Amino acid sequence: MKVVELAGIGPGPFAATILADLGADVIRIDRPGPQLLGGGPEDLLTRNRERVEVDLKSRSGVELALQLIEEADILLEGMRPGVTERLGLGPDTCLARNPRLVYGRMTGWGQTGPLAHAAGHDLTYIAITGVLHGLGQTADRPQFPINLLGDFGGGSTFLVIGVLSALLSARMTGQGQVVDAAIVDGTSYLDLMTAGLRASGRHSQPRGKNMLDGGVPYYRLYRTLDDRWVAVGALEPQFFRTLVDQLGLADVIPAQDETERHGEMASIFEATFATRTMADWAAHFEGTDACVAPVLTPAEAARHAHLSARDTYIVIDDVTQPAPAPRFSGTPTAMPTATRKSSADQVLARWTANSLRP
């Protein structure tokens, strides 16, 4: 699968990285000169692909890009609506040259709507969807998880799902199409389960007072003796019983469904977890069904026995980084490489020589 990526930052490049890690032949078209993130081994959002420099403000540069697009299965771009059209690389132009092309567009607000041409970032996108309102465990203000939820959860993930779905359609019908992946749409979609809980009245309390946002004492974080944290997620009755038994609290803890005594239960848990270090609790609960885990730093996570056994983190050019996901039994993914600089002419020669198009 051949992918042309028009260089951008954040969710667009991550979508291209996912495709590259899964085996696609991705070519990133960069503007000439120094790159924003350097393009070296630490620039993980551009790993596993070739980078070519093309001046898209020149007629010859646009024509060279179109020749690559003519050979591609997928084009990814993350510019504001109308920008690629002004460059001469809009959907109509590209699909005229390559009718089977899947044209993936990554934006925050989408291609249409009153805010389509406005600037924005992850924080503003998740704010307007209503999702940010419910994030966090304190009533005084929402809390946001850096830019994982909007850019990469609601953005990159759905762009990849969209272009792969459209690629299946193109291979069945011979007709490509435009995929409009908006972070506001994807983030709203990620909230589907919570929307159902709200509709049923099971997620209706203020922030931090519901089952999955820290509102129950058996699904929250607890501070340990060494001022670290453990995560407790013993929602199901059998897991709750295991938690209580492992803590030696069966004779003193209130029943799980005694909601009026949840404050008392939380106080008991707080006092108990404060008596030992995080590492002690991690060892104590390892392999049990109590659903307790240490809150690790990224460096600690890379060394954790379970993640190490699965090679969840890998080291490339002395840079520790997440491995590709998911796993495949018949077509395992190859070890990623750092981005490689090439020339558009070299890529074009290789692509046309290996073209499967009629």
Side-chain angles (χ1 to χ4, degrees), residues 89-150:
L89 295 171
D92 290 345
T93 302
C94 292
L95 284 164
R97 295 282 289 260
N98 180 359
R100 298 169 57 90
L101 180 71
V102 173
Y103 194 110
R105 315 196 82 169
M106 179 80 264
T107 59
W109 307 112
Q111 297 296 315
T112 60
L115 294 176
H117 294 273
H121 274 297
D122 176 286
L123 187 59
T124 52
Y125 305 140
I126 68 173
I128 204 173
T129 62
V131 174
L132 177 58
H133 173 78
L135 296 183
Q137 287 74 53
T138 58
D140 62 324
R141 62 187 297 176
Q143 297 169 339
F144 56 98
I146 55 175
N147 64 333
L148 295 175
L149 176 58

Side-chain angles (χ1 to χ4, degrees), residues 74-88:
I74 294 173
L75 169 70
L76 300 178
E77 63 96 356
M79 303 177 189
R80 293 199 205 189
V83 171
T84 58
E85 284 86 348
R86 291 193 294 273
L87 288 172

Side-chain angles (χ1 to χ4, degrees), residues 225-300:
L225 179 63
D226 54 342
D227 207 27
R228 298 290 300 273
W229 298 87
V230 292
V232 176
L235 285 176
E236 293 81 357
Q238 68 273 26
F239 301 152
F240 178 80
R241 288 193 298 270
T242 302
L243 170 67
V244 171
D245 290 342
Q246 288 286 322
L247 291 173
L249 299 175
D251 295 334
V252 298
I253 206 76
Q256 186 177 15
D257 59 359
E258 288 186 271
T259 55
E260 69 279 4
R261 299 182 65 189
H262 275 180
E264 177 186 351
M265 182 188 295
S267 296
I268 295 173
F269 284 155
E270 287 172 358
T272 303
F273 280 111
T275 62
R276 297 171 64 173
T277 66
M278 182 192 75
D280 285 344
W281 286 122
H284 180 77
F285 285 105
E286 185 78 23
T288 74
D289 281 351
C291 299
V292 176
V295 179
L296 301 179
T297 66
E300 291 169 335

Side-chain angles (χ1 to χ4, degrees), residues 3-347:
V3 180
V4 170
E5 171 200 4
L6 301 184
I9 59 174
F14 185 47
T17 298
I18 294 172
L19 295 175
D21 283 352
L22 295 180
D25 187 352
V26 179
I27 303 302
R28 176 178 170 92
I29 295 180
D30 268 317
R31 67 184 64 185
Q35 305 307 311
L36 179 64
L37 298 177
E42 298 85 8
D43 185 4
L44 301 184
L45 287 190
T46 65
R47 75 182 187 188
N48 233 11
R49 53 191 177 274
E50 291 180 84
R51 179 175 68 87
V52 301
E53 293 184 355
V54 178
D55 182 6
L56 296 181
K57 294 184 178 181
S58 71
R59 184 173 300 178
S60 60
V62 170
E63 176 57 32
L64 187 56
L66 284 170
Q67 291 178 39
L68 287 169
I69 292 167
E70 193 169 344
E71 296 295 324
D73 300 290
I74 294 173
L75 169 70
L76 300 178
E77 63 96 356
M79 303 177 189
R80 293 199 205 189
V83 171
T84 58
E85 284 86 348
R86 291 193 294 273
L87 288 172
L89 295 171
D92 290 345
T93 302
C94 292
L95 284 164
R97 295 282 289 260
N98 180 359
R100 298 169 57 90
L101 180 71
V102 173
Y103 194 110
R105 315 196 82 169
M106 179 80 264
T107 59
W109 307 112
Q111 297 296 315
T112 60
L115 294 176
H117 294 273
H121 274 297
D122 176 286
L123 187 59
T124 52
Y125 305 140
I126 68 173
I128 204 173
T129 62
V131 174
L132 177 58
H133 173 78
L135 296 183
Q137 287 74 53
T138 58
D140 62 324
R141 62 187 297 176
Q143 297 169 339
F144 56 98
I146 55 175
N147 64 333
L148 295 175
L149 176 58
D151 281 351
F152 302 124
S156 308
T157 304
F158 287 93
L159 178 59
V160 170
I161 293 171
V163 296
L164 292 181
S165 299
L167 182 63
L168 288 174
S169 174
R171 289 188 171 177
M172 289 186 292
T173 67
Q175 183 61 51
Q177 59 183 299
V178 177
V179 177
D180 174 6
I183 293 173
V184 291
D185 296 345
T187 303
S188 298
Y189 201 174
L190 289 174
D191 198 43
L192 185 65
M193 187 186 80
T194 311
L197 292 174
R198 287 194 297 268
S200 67
R202 290 178 288 173
H203 190 99
S204 58
Q205 302 301 314
R207 183 187 314 110
K209 300 296 184 181
N210 299 281
M211 180 176 66
L212 296 177
D213 63 8
V216 295
Y218 43 85
Y219 198 85
R220 64 173 61 169
L221 304 176
Y222 289 98
R223 193 187 300 269
T224 59
L225 179 63
D226 54 342
D227 207 27
R228 298 290 300 273
W229 298 87
V230 292
V232 176
L235 285 176
E236 293 81 357
Q238 68 273 26
F239 301 152
F240 178 80
R241 288 193 298 270
T242 302
L243 170 67
V244 171
D245 290 342
Q246 288 286 322
L247 291 173
L249 299 175
D251 295 334
V252 298
I253 206 76
Q256 186 177 15
D257 59 359
E258 288 186 271
T259 55
E260 69 279 4
R261 299 182 65 189
H262 275 180
E264 177 186 351
M265 182 188 295
S267 296
I268 295 173
F269 284 155
E270 287 172 358
T272 303
F273 280 111
T275 62
R276 297 171 64 173
T277 66
M278 182 192 75
D280 285 344
W281 286 122
H284 180 77
F285 285 105
E286 185 78 23
T288 74
D289 281 351
C291 299
V292 176
V295 179
L296 301 179
T297 66
E300 291 169 335
R303 298 191 300 267
H304 189 274
H306 180 79
L307 302 183
S308 295
R310 289 185 56 80
D311 292 324
T312 299
Y313 289 90
I314 54 179
V315 179
I316 303 172
D317 295 327
D318 297 323
V319 178
T320 300
Q321 54 197 274
R327 315 289 177 90
F328 299 87
S329 64
T331 54
T333 53
M335 178 71 76
T337 61
T339 183
R340 309 173 301 283
K341 189 173 181 180
S342 185
S343 75
D345 290 332
Q346 289 174 326
V347 172

